[in-house]
Coordinates of all heavy atoms in Angstrom, one line a residue:
T1 N -34.1 7.5 125.6 CA -33.4 8.2 126.7 C -33.0 7.3 127.9 O -32.2 7.7 128.7 CB -34.3 9.4 127.2 OG1 -35.6 8.8 127.6 CG2 -34.5 10.4 126.2
D2 N -33.6 6.2 127.9 CA -33.2 5.2 129.0 C -32.0 4.3 128.7 O -31.6 3.6 129.5 CB -34.5 4.3 129.3 CG -35.6 5.1 129.9 OD1 -35.4 6.1 130.5 OD2 -36.8 4.7 129.6
Y3 N -31.6 4.4 127.4 CA -30.5 3.6 127.0 C -29.2 4.1 127.7 O -28.9 5.3 127.5 CB -30.4 3.6 125.5 CG -29.3 2.6 124.9 CD1 -29.4 1.2 125.3 CD2 -28.4 3.0 124.0 CE1 -28.4 0.4 124.7 CE2 -27.4 2.2 123.5 CZ -27.5 0.8 123.8 OH -26.6 -0.1 123.3
K4 N -28.4 3.2 128.3 CA -27.3 3.7 129.1 C -26.2 4.4 128.3 O -25.4 5.2 128.8 CB -26.7 2.6 129.9 CG -26.2 1.3 129.1 CD -25.7 0.3 130.0 CE -25.2 -0.9 129.2 NZ -24.7 -2.0 130.1
Y5 N -26.1 4.0 126.9 CA -25.0 4.6 126.2 C -25.4 5.9 125.4 O -24.6 6.5 124.8 CB -24.5 3.6 125.2 CG -23.8 2.4 125.8 CD1 -24.4 1.1 125.7 CD2 -22.7 2.5 126.6 CE1 -23.8 0.0 126.3 CE2 -22.1 1.4 127.2 CZ -22.6 0.2 127.1 OH -22.1 -0.9 127.6
K6 N -26.7 6.2 125.5 CA -27.2 7.4 124.7 C -26.5 8.7 125.2 O -26.2 9.5 124.4 CB -28.7 7.4 124.8 CG -29.2 8.7 124.1 CD -30.7 8.7 124.0 CE -31.2 10.1 123.5 NZ -30.6 10.5 122.3
K7 N -26.4 8.8 126.5 CA -25.9 10.0 127.1 C -24.4 10.3 126.6 O -24.0 11.4 126.3 CB -25.9 10.0 128.6 CG -25.0 8.9 129.3 CD -25.2 9.1 130.8 CE -24.4 8.0 131.5 NZ -24.5 8.1 133.0
Y8 N -23.7 9.1 126.4 CA -22.3 9.3 125.9 C -22.3 9.7 124.4 O -21.5 10.6 124.0 CB -21.5 8.0 126.0 CG -21.4 7.5 127.4 CD1 -22.1 6.4 127.9 CD2 -20.7 8.2 128.3 CE1 -22.0 6.0 129.2 CE2 -20.6 7.8 129.7 CZ -21.2 6.6 130.1 OH -21.2 6.3 131.4
F9 N -23.3 9.2 123.6 CA -23.4 9.6 122.2 C -23.8 11.1 122.2 O -23.2 11.9 121.4 CB -24.5 8.8 121.6 CG -24.9 9.2 120.3 CD1 -24.1 9.0 119.1 CD2 -26.0 10.0 120.0 CE1 -24.4 9.4 117.9 CE2 -26.4 10.4 118.7 CZ -25.6 10.1 117.7
D10 N -24.7 11.5 123.0 CA -25.2 12.9 123.1 C -24.0 13.9 123.4 O -23.8 14.9 122.8 CB -26.3 13.1 124.1 CG -27.6 12.4 123.6 OD1 -27.7 12.1 122.4 OD2 -28.5 12.3 124.4
I11 N -23.2 13.5 124.4 CA -22.0 14.3 124.8 C -21.0 14.4 123.7 O -20.5 15.5 123.4 CB -21.4 13.6 126.0 CG1 -22.3 13.8 127.3 CG2 -20.0 14.3 126.3 CD1 -21.8 13.1 128.5
F12 N -20.8 13.3 123.0 CA -19.9 13.3 121.9 C -20.4 14.2 120.7 O -19.6 15.0 120.2 CB -19.8 11.8 121.2 CG -19.0 11.7 119.9 CD1 -17.7 11.9 119.9 CD2 -19.7 11.5 118.8 CE1 -17.0 11.8 118.7 CE2 -19.0 11.4 117.6 CZ -17.6 11.6 117.6
M13 N -21.6 14.2 120.4 CA -22.3 15.1 119.4 C -22.2 16.6 119.8 O -21.9 17.4 119.0 CB -23.7 14.7 119.1 CG -23.8 13.3 118.5 SD -22.9 13.0 117.0 CE -24.0 13.9 115.8
I14 N -22.4 16.8 121.1 CA -22.3 18.2 121.6 C -20.9 18.8 121.5 O -20.7 19.9 121.1 CB -22.8 18.3 123.1 CG1 -24.4 18.0 123.1 CG2 -22.5 19.6 123.7 CD1 -24.9 17.9 124.5
I15 N -20.0 17.9 121.8 CA -18.6 18.3 121.6 C -18.2 18.6 120.2 O -17.6 19.6 119.9 CB -17.6 17.2 122.2 CG1 -17.7 17.1 123.7 CG2 -16.1 17.5 121.8 CD1 -17.0 15.9 124.3
L16 N -18.7 17.8 119.3 CA -18.5 18.1 117.9 C -19.1 19.4 117.4 O -18.5 20.1 116.6 CB -19.0 16.9 117.0 CG -18.4 15.6 117.0 CD1 -19.1 14.6 116.1 CD2 -16.9 15.7 116.6
I17 N -20.2 19.7 118.0 CA -20.9 21.0 117.6 C -20.1 22.2 118.1 O -19.8 23.1 117.3 CB -22.3 21.0 118.3 CG1 -23.3 20.0 117.6 CG2 -22.9 22.5 118.2 CD1 -24.6 19.8 118.4
F18 N -19.6 22.1 119.3 CA -18.8 23.2 119.8 C -17.5 23.4 119.1 O -16.9 24.5 118.9 CB -18.6 23.1 121.3 CG -19.9 23.5 122.1 CD1 -20.6 22.6 122.9 CD2 -20.3 24.9 122.1 CE1 -21.7 23.0 123.6 CE2 -21.4 25.3 122.8 CZ -22.1 24.3 123.5
V19 N -16.9 22.2 118.8 CA -15.6 22.3 118.1 C -15.8 22.9 116.7 O -15.0 23.7 116.2 CB -15.0 20.8 117.9 CG1 -13.9 20.8 116.9 CG2 -14.6 20.3 119.3
S20 N -16.9 22.5 116.1 CA -17.2 23.0 114.7 C -17.4 24.6 114.7 O -16.8 25.3 113.9 CB -18.4 22.4 114.2 OG -18.7 22.9 112.9
V21 N -18.1 25.0 115.7 CA -18.3 26.5 115.8 C -17.1 27.2 116.2 O -16.8 28.3 115.7 CB -19.5 26.7 116.8 CG1 -19.6 28.3 117.1 CG2 -20.8 26.2 116.4
A22 N -16.3 26.6 117.1 CA -15.0 27.2 117.5 C -14.0 27.4 116.3 O -13.4 28.5 116.2 CB -14.3 26.4 118.6
I23 N -14.0 26.4 115.4 CA -13.2 26.5 114.2 C -13.7 27.6 113.3 O -12.9 28.4 112.7 CB -13.2 25.2 113.5 CG1 -12.4 24.1 114.3 CG2 -12.5 25.3 112.1 CD1 -12.5 22.7 113.7
L24 N -15.0 27.7 113.2 CA -15.6 28.8 112.3 C -15.3 30.2 112.9 O -14.9 31.1 112.1 CB -17.1 28.6 112.3 CG -17.9 29.7 111.5 CD1 -17.5 29.7 110.0 CD2 -19.4 29.5 111.7
I25 N -15.3 30.4 114.2 CA -15.0 31.7 114.8 C -13.5 32.0 114.6 O -13.2 33.1 114.3 CB -15.3 31.6 116.3 CG1 -16.9 31.5 116.5 CG2 -14.8 32.9 117.0 CD1 -17.3 31.3 117.9
R26 N -12.7 31.0 114.8 CA -11.2 31.3 114.7 C -10.9 31.6 113.2 O -10.0 32.4 112.9 CB -10.4 30.1 115.1 CG -8.9 30.3 115.0 CD -8.2 29.1 115.6 NE -6.7 29.3 115.4 CZ -5.9 30.1 116.1 NH1 -6.5 30.9 117.0 NH2 -4.7 30.2 115.8
E27 N -11.6 31.1 112.3 CA -11.4 31.3 110.9 C -11.6 32.7 110.4 O -11.1 33.1 109.3 CB -12.2 30.3 110.0 CG -11.8 30.1 108.6 CD -12.7 29.2 107.9 OE1 -13.6 28.6 108.5 OE2 -12.5 28.9 106.6
V28 N -12.4 33.5 111.2 CA -12.8 34.8 110.7 C -11.5 35.7 110.6 O -11.4 36.4 109.6 CB -13.8 35.4 111.8 CG1 -14.0 36.9 111.4 CG2 -15.1 34.6 111.8
K29 N -10.6 35.7 111.6 CA -9.5 36.6 111.6 C -8.2 35.9 111.7 O -7.1 36.6 111.7 CB -9.6 37.6 112.8 CG -10.7 38.6 112.6 CD -10.7 39.7 113.6 CE -11.7 40.8 113.4 NZ -11.6 41.9 114.4
S30 N -8.2 34.6 111.8 CA -6.9 33.9 111.9 C -6.8 32.7 110.9 O -7.9 32.2 110.4 CB -6.7 33.3 113.3 OG -6.8 34.3 114.2
H31 N -5.6 32.3 110.6 CA -5.5 31.2 109.7 C -5.7 29.9 110.5 O -5.2 29.7 111.6 CB -4.1 31.2 109.1 CG -3.8 29.9 108.3 ND1 -4.4 29.7 107.0 CD2 -3.0 28.8 108.5 CE1 -3.9 28.6 106.5 NE2 -3.1 28.0 107.4
V32 N -6.5 29.0 109.9 CA -6.8 27.7 110.5 C -6.1 26.6 109.8 O -6.0 26.6 108.5 CB -8.3 27.5 110.5 CG1 -8.6 26.1 111.1 CG2 -9.1 28.6 111.3
N33 N -5.4 25.8 110.5 CA -4.7 24.7 109.9 C -5.6 23.8 109.0 O -6.8 23.6 109.2 CB -4.2 23.7 111.1 CG -3.2 22.7 110.6 OD1 -3.7 21.7 110.0 ND2 -2.0 22.9 110.8
D34 N -5.0 23.4 107.9 CA -5.8 22.7 106.8 C -6.4 21.4 107.4 O -7.5 21.0 107.0 CB -4.9 22.4 105.6 CG -4.5 23.6 104.9 OD1 -5.2 24.6 105.0 OD2 -3.5 23.6 104.1
S35 N -5.7 20.8 108.3 CA -6.2 19.5 108.9 C -7.4 19.8 109.7 O -8.4 19.0 109.7 CB -5.2 18.8 109.7 OG -4.7 19.7 110.8
L36 N -7.5 20.9 110.4 CA -8.7 21.3 111.2 C -9.8 21.6 110.2 O -11.0 21.3 110.5 CB -8.4 22.5 112.1 CG -7.6 22.2 113.4 CD1 -7.4 23.6 114.1 CD2 -8.5 21.3 114.3
L37 N -9.5 22.4 109.1 CA -10.6 22.6 108.1 C -11.1 21.3 107.6 O -12.3 21.2 107.3 CB -10.1 23.6 107.0 CG -9.8 25.0 107.4 CD1 -9.2 25.8 106.3 CD2 -11.1 25.7 107.9
F38 N -10.2 20.4 107.2 CA -10.7 19.1 106.6 C -11.5 18.4 107.7 O -12.6 17.8 107.4 CB -9.5 18.3 106.3 CG -9.8 16.9 105.8 CD1 -10.2 16.8 104.5 CD2 -9.8 15.8 106.6 CE1 -10.5 15.5 103.9 CE2 -10.2 14.5 106.1 CZ -10.5 14.4 104.8
F39 N -11.1 18.4 109.0 CA -11.9 17.8 110.0 C -13.3 18.4 110.2 O -14.3 17.7 110.3 CB -11.1 17.8 111.4 CG -11.9 17.3 112.5 CD1 -12.0 15.9 112.7 CD2 -12.5 18.1 113.5 CE1 -12.7 15.4 113.8 CE2 -13.2 17.6 114.6 CZ -13.3 16.2 114.7
N40 N -13.3 19.8 110.1 CA -14.6 20.4 110.2 C -15.5 20.3 109.1 O -16.7 20.0 109.2 CB -14.3 21.9 110.5 CG -15.6 22.7 110.9 OD1 -16.5 22.1 111.5 ND2 -15.7 24.0 110.5
N41 N -15.0 20.4 107.8 CA -15.8 20.4 106.6 C -16.1 19.0 106.1 O -17.2 18.8 105.5 CB -15.1 21.1 105.5 CG -14.9 22.6 105.8 OD1 -15.7 23.2 106.5 ND2 -13.8 23.2 105.3
F42 N -15.3 18.0 106.5 CA -15.6 16.7 106.0 C -16.0 15.7 107.1 O -17.0 15.0 106.9 CB -14.4 16.2 105.2 CG -14.2 16.9 103.8 CD1 -13.3 18.0 103.8 CD2 -14.9 16.5 102.7 CE1 -13.1 18.6 102.5 CE2 -14.7 17.2 101.5 CZ -13.8 18.2 101.4
I43 N -15.1 15.6 108.0 CA -15.2 14.5 109.1 C -16.5 14.8 109.9 O -17.4 13.9 110.0 CB -14.0 14.4 110.0 CG1 -12.8 14.2 109.2 CG2 -14.3 13.3 111.0 CD1 -12.8 12.8 108.4
I44 N -16.6 16.0 110.5 CA -17.8 16.3 111.3 C -19.1 16.3 110.5 O -20.1 15.7 110.9 CB -17.6 17.7 112.0 CG1 -16.5 17.6 113.0 CG2 -18.9 18.1 112.7 CD1 -16.2 18.9 113.7

C-alpha cells in the first residue's frame, strides 16, 4: 500500500470492474456492440 504506483493500479482495476458491470446491465435490454462484448468477455 506504500508503493506510489499501487493506487493507480487500483483505480485502473476499479474502472474495469464498473465498465464490465455497465456492459452487463446494458446487455439485458439493449444490443451491445460486438467490440464491447469482446472487450468485456476477453480483454477484461
Side-chain angles (χ1 to χ4, degrees):
T1 55
D2 296 329
Y3 188 54
K4 60 181 179 180
Y5 295 117
K6 177 173 169 51
K7 63 179 180 180
Y8 300 111
F9 172 77
D10 291 346
I11 292 171
F12 172 71
M13 297 300 285
I14 290 172
I15 291 172
L16 288 183
I17 291 169
F18 282 114
V19 168
S20 180
V21 174
I23 293 173
L24 176 66
I25 294 171
R26 181 172 176 78
E27 193 181 1
V28 174
K29 290 189 176 182
S30 304
H31 174 72
V32 178
N33 189 283
D34 291 340
S35 58
L36 279 178
L37 287 176
F38 178 82
F39 177 74
N40 190 31
N41 294 331
F42 289 97
I43 304 299
I44 295 181

